[in-house]
Amino acid sequence: MSAVDEILSQVDLDQLAQQVGADPADVEQAARTALPALLGGLDANAADPAGAASLAEALGQHDPALVEGGVDLGQVDPAEGDKIAQHIFGDNRDQVVSQLGGISGSAGKGIVAKLIPILAPIVLSWLAKKVLGGAADASRSPSASAGGGGLGDILGQVLGGATKGTQSGGVDTGSIITDVLGGLLGAGRR
């Protein structure tokens, strides 16, 4: 199961559609476009030692329990998600949303813009679950070290595979990261 499928399997798409005021099919299509962008942005940020350290700190603050047994969208703070998205995409956020909105078809950038702040905390909790393996605890924050099984190695395995080859409505969303976001994010925002 791809990372996108794994994350979406924990989200009630009908409830998410109600929350953003859109059709469930459009929300699913937009989410399948936005999730690889969030994962790819995290991967780009983690490529830099300072970005990896910042991500390690963030993972220690996100409870993996959010994605266990289904996400309770009432527990997701869009204001926090907005801050996460701003950190991931930086000054390029509007451009990223615009590009993703164009790729997600009829759903458009309005739905993508509403989804990103909801999906961002879910993505960090999912990643914390993959990296930490249990409940978040500041004393268990992963090491930002790039070598010897540190966060860099784990992120390479989790995020590297998370953004490759996922299909969304005939679009290879892995190419979104390469073609669309690559130029906008460069080596990632620190």
Side-chain angles (χ1 to χ4, degrees):
M1 179 181 299
S2 75
V4 170
D5 290 334
E6 192 175 326
I7 292 167
L8 284 178
S9 74
Q10 298 300 314
V11 178
D12 181 334
L13 290 173
D14 290 330
Q15 183 184 13
L16 183 59
Q18 285 180 333
Q19 191 167 341
V20 299
D23 178 73
D26 289 339
V27 168
E28 180 177 3
Q29 183 177 4
R32 288 188 178 280
T33 303
L35 285 168
L38 287 164
L39 291 163
L42 288 168
D43 190 34
N45 282 314
D48 174 77
S54 177
L55 181 55
E57 182 179 328
L59 291 179
Q61 298 170 5
H62 285 83
D63 188 354
L66 179 67
V67 295
E68 293 173 357
V71 174
D72 176 359
L73 292 174
Q75 299 296 313
V76 176
D77 180 2
E80 175 195 7
D82 194 52
K83 291 176 188 173
I84 294 167
Q86 187 61 38
H87 185 75
I88 292 171
F89 301 125
D91 294 338
N92 296 315
R93 182 175 176 176
D94 290 340
Q95 291 174 288
V96 170
V97 169
S98 181
Q99 292 287 341
L100 293 175
I103 291 169
S104 66
S106 64
K109 81 177 196 179
I111 294 174
V112 171
K114 290 178 184 177
L115 284 177
I116 286 178
I118 297 169
L119 294 174
I122 295 170
V123 167
L124 280 184
S125 291
W126 174 82
L127 189 56
K129 180 179 177 184
K130 292 292 185 183
V131 173
L132 300 174
D137 178 341
S139 67
R140 294 182 47 198
S141 289
S143 164
S145 141
L151 179 63
D153 290 346
I154 295 169
L155 289 175
Q157 293 171 0
V158 174
L159 293 176
T163 59
K164 296 194 177 22
T166 304
Q167 293 291 319
S168 174
V171 174
D172 179 357
T173 54
S175 69
I176 293 169
I177 304 307
T178 305
D179 300 341
V180 176
L181 299 179
L184 294 175
L185 297 176
R189 176 162 160 74
R190 278 37 149 205

